Amino acid sequence: QKEVEQNSGPLSVPEGAIASLNCTYSDRGSQSFFWYRQYSGKSPELIMSIYSNGDKEDGRFTAQLNKASQYVSLLIRDSQPSDSATYLCAVPDGATNKLIFGTGTLLAVQP
Amino acid sequence: NAGVMQNPRHLVRRRGQEARLRCSPMKGHSHVYWYRQLPEEGLKFMVYLQKENIIDESGMPKERFSAEFPKEGPSILRIQQVVRGDSAAYFCASSRDRDGYTFGSGTRLTVV
């Protein structure tokens, strides 16, 4: 059974700080990785995808991938209260295209 | 450019009734996925469909649950003889290929 692991949190950071969200996965053959944001009572929203080792930046968000360590992270710079949400890491199942989701990390940005 | 459309947004059913949840994928997307999310829990995969085909139903309960994606019309997730434990948010997502999904707004099912 392929697994995606995240700390459930809550992760509390002050406004303006860097929030660091981590995810590990069990399938060494995984090639693509996704971060979703889910506000309470809403549906998940894709915010970042990463396919190669290293960093990928998009505005205040940076995704980091280390395939050797089977580790993917999401950094949020200059955190804002509006970033408070649950962040879900997702990795495709190798056999089909379905995404396996971690349980999510709840981020709370304190004003 | 309509996104993934799910309806109804909220559905209340009495125990033993049937629930039908509908999902229309984004234009140009041929892959449809259904997920269930219980309160304070993660997204659990249920079924993956393409037009007229079930590709992976490994997450579907063996009884009472079925899904289809006909040649014409939306994908349907059907739950027969609902029980209180079926109360959850059911999300549909679609994709064009192996890119990330786009999710619909979900259907909140409450069984009373």
Side-chain angles (χ1 to χ4, degrees), chain A residues 32 34 36 38 41-46 51 88 93-103, chain B residues 31 33 35 37 41-43 45 48 55-56 58 91 95 97-101 103-105 108:
Chain A
S32 52
F34 304 93
Y36 285 79
Q38 186 176 26
K42 302 296 185 182
S43 60
E45 172 192 12
L46 179 65
Y51 305 94
L88 301 162
D93 181 280
T96 67
N97 199 32
K98 67 176 188 263
L99 286 181
I100 307 299
F101 285 85
T103 52
Chain B
H31 305 261
Y33 313 85
Y35 284 78
Q37 189 172 40
E41 292 190 12
L43 285 161
F45 169 78
Y48 163 31
I55 307 302
D56 182 344
S58 58
F91 290 101
S95 70
D97 44 36
R98 290 183 176 266
D99 288 342
Y101 302 167
F103 279 88
S105 299
R108 273 75 180 170

Side-chain angles (χ1 to χ4, degrees), chain A residues 26-59:
Chain A
S26 63
D27 184 1
R28 186 170 289 278
S30 296
Q31 298 295 318
S32 52
F33 307 85
F34 304 93
W35 282 100
Y36 285 79
R37 177 178 61 199
Q38 186 176 26
Y39 292 111
S40 181
K42 302 296 185 182
S43 60
E45 172 192 12
L46 179 65
I47 55 172
M48 287 286 283
S49 58
I50 187 166
Y51 305 94
S52 303
N53 274 333
D55 295 0
K56 178 183 177 183
E57 187 173 319
D58 183 0

Side-chain angles (χ1 to χ4, degrees), chain A:
Chain A
Q1 174 71 17
K2 298 178 176 67
E3 294 183 349
V4 179
E5 300 283 345
Q6 296 181 256
N7 288 325
S8 60
L11 173 65
S12 183
V13 301
E15 184 174 354
I18 296 175
S20 178
L21 303 155
N22 304 315
C23 172
T24 59
Y25 57 94
S26 63
D27 184 1
R28 186 170 289 278
S30 296
Q31 298 295 318
S32 52
F33 307 85
F34 304 93
W35 282 100
Y36 285 79
R37 177 178 61 199
Q38 186 176 26
Y39 292 111
S40 181
K42 302 296 185 182
S43 60
E45 172 192 12
L46 179 65
I47 55 172
M48 287 286 283
S49 58
I50 187 166
Y51 305 94
S52 303
N53 274 333
D55 295 0
K56 178 183 177 183
E57 187 173 319
D58 183 0
R60 294 186 297 111
F61 297 98
T62 298
Q64 298 177 318
L65 174 60
N66 183 325
K67 290 185 179 180
S69 300
Q70 296 175 241
Y71 177 93
V72 57
S73 63
L74 180 70
L75 301 178
I76 307 174
R77 290 182 300 281
D78 189 23
S79 296
Q80 301 297 309
S82 59
D83 295 326
S84 298
T86 296
Y87 289 80
L88 301 162
C89 173
V91 180
D93 181 280
T96 67
N97 199 32
K98 67 176 188 263
L99 286 181
I100 307 299
F101 285 85
T103 52
T105 298
L106 177 61
L107 173 66
V109 180
Q110 306 299 327

